[in-house]
Amino acid sequence: MRETLAALADLTRAHFFFVWPLLFCSGLALAFETYGGFSWVLVGRAALIGLFGFTAGLVLNDYIDREYDRRDVDGSLTRYWRPFGERPIPAGKLSPRAALAVFLVLAGLAAALAVTLPSPHNLYVLGIMGYSYLVEYFYQTKKRNQTIPLAQMVGRTDFALFPVAGYLVYGNPDATALLFFLFFYPWTLAHLGANDIADIANDRARGMATIPVLYGMKGATTWVLGFSAVHAAMAVVFGLALGPVTLAGFAAGLVLLGAANYIAHRGKSPEAAMRALPLMHATVIVYAMAIIAGAAL
């Protein structure tokens, strides 16, 4: 039982559990501010949709890549993302069938909760869920054989739409939702580049056409820096639209992102990217809290 629980924790990246509902609910908080009203019941429902829905995507990632992950030669990134430091399917701790069942249960719970939302908000959220899982499959399979980073450019739209789905739990497709997407999408691409740099040894062993495989370390760090710069510009635009509290929070997040870029660009190595990743992940928490604080104050 203990081994199974540890495997499930690794499969779901359990120690990051609080990030997904926080980010999802930052979108909901912004919708409350935009459209007026508030409901703790809806917050709780949204938090569970975000938790189950995103975690299901992480499990799907492992299921799709289950055979390729057996080729891993470096466990550094695995130990960072997973509390017990193992990929449970290649390690034999969980069968592929069990992992698929976990995905179906989590996605089913998220969908069941989303269905209870008023129309058309339930359709918005369910539509983004379905799109995101399809895009995750595309991303995982397309990067096995490509000469340009199409998998990355299309694939990270799912993550960028995640807080937008939180907004659409209560809000409607509008200029604010679009700005949220345009603000977050460049960050997801910068983060992906840093994650790929950290995992370069495994991606070469797997034969994956990731950013550093396609463009080398210098090109990959330039990718991270370039999309971070685009993100910073959009943070100013989005922050000015949301008010001084959120803008101040965005500024703090950009300081962390700048430090991460300095570390990654100076080192141009997997070790440097591993040091940069926690700072990049901290920016997401800071952004989400800034949006929630700005909506509440």
Side-chain angles (χ1 to χ4, degrees):
M1 177 61 73
R2 182 178 297 178
E3 183 177 272
T4 300
L5 291 175
L8 288 171
D10 279 340
L11 186 71
T12 58
R13 288 69 151 177
H15 57 314
F16 287 103
F17 80 94
F18 66 95
V19 179
W20 322 131
L22 181 67
L23 181 59
F24 196 77
C25 287
S26 71
L28 177 60
L30 188 55
F32 284 144
E33 181 185 25
T34 303
Y35 290 92
F38 180 82
S39 167
W40 279 114
V41 172
L42 190 55
V43 170
R45 195 183 311 171
L48 291 175
I49 293 171
L51 175 62
F52 295 145
F54 198 96
T55 304
L58 295 174
V59 175
L60 181 62
N61 177 298
D62 276 18
Y63 178 76
I64 295 169
D65 257 0
R66 61 193 181 278
E67 296 301 326
Y68 287 83
D69 289 340
R70 298 183 192 280
R71 306 176 187 177
D72 281 9
V73 295
D74 180 4
S76 300
L77 194 63
T78 297
R79 288 190 292 273
Y80 174 77
W81 274 107
R82 301 161 196 270
F84 295 96
E86 283 191 311
R87 293 182 179 273
I89 302 175
K93 301 296 178 63
L94 281 178
S95 69
R97 180 176 293 182
L100 180 61
V102 172
F103 163 71
L104 292 174
V105 168
L106 291 171
L109 288 170
L113 288 165
V115 166
T116 67
L117 298 172
S119 182
H121 305 285
N122 52 1
L123 299 179
Y124 297 151
V125 175
L126 288 169
I128 290 176
M129 278 183 60
Y131 169 83
S132 296
Y133 296 145
L134 288 174
V135 164
E136 181 63 27
Y137 178 82
F138 172 81
Y139 166 69
Q140 294 296 103
T141 55
K142 181 62 179 176
K143 69 179 181 177
R144 299 171 189 171
N145 182 24
Q146 62 177 7
T147 55
I148 59 173
L150 182 63
Q152 287 80 359
M153 298 299 293
V154 175
R156 287 311 81 177
T157 57
D158 60 356
F159 194 8
L161 283 169
F162 180 67
V164 178
Y167 181 83
L168 295 176
V169 164
Y170 187 73
N172 295 304
D174 56 19
T176 302
L178 178 60
L179 275 176
F180 208 152
F181 175 81
L182 294 175
F183 158 74
F184 198 47
Y185 179 57
W187 182 92
T188 66
L189 290 172
H191 168 262
L192 179 66
N195 199 80
D196 284 353
I197 294 170
D199 210 30
I200 180 63
N202 291 328
D203 285 332
R204 283 175 175 155
R206 299 176 193 133
M208 300 290 184
T210 55
I211 301 306
V213 172
L214 290 170
Y215 302 121
M217 285 297 183
K218 183 176 180 181
T221 54
T222 300
W223 168 288
V224 175
L225 182 61
F227 280 111
S228 293
V230 175
H231 166 72
M234 285 307 306
V236 173
V237 174
F238 195 33
L240 286 172
L242 298 183
V245 173
T246 303
L247 185 60
F250 283 4
L254 290 176
V255 170
L256 293 172
L257 186 60
N261 271 272
Y262 175 78
I263 293 168
H265 204 75
R266 184 180 181 186
K268 294 183 177 66
S269 67
E271 295 76 18
M274 282 300 306
R275 294 195 299 272
L277 274 175
L279 293 174
M280 297 190 77
H281 293 151
T283 64
V284 174
I285 298 172
V286 172
Y287 290 152
M289 292 177 64
I291 293 170
I292 293 170
L297 297 177

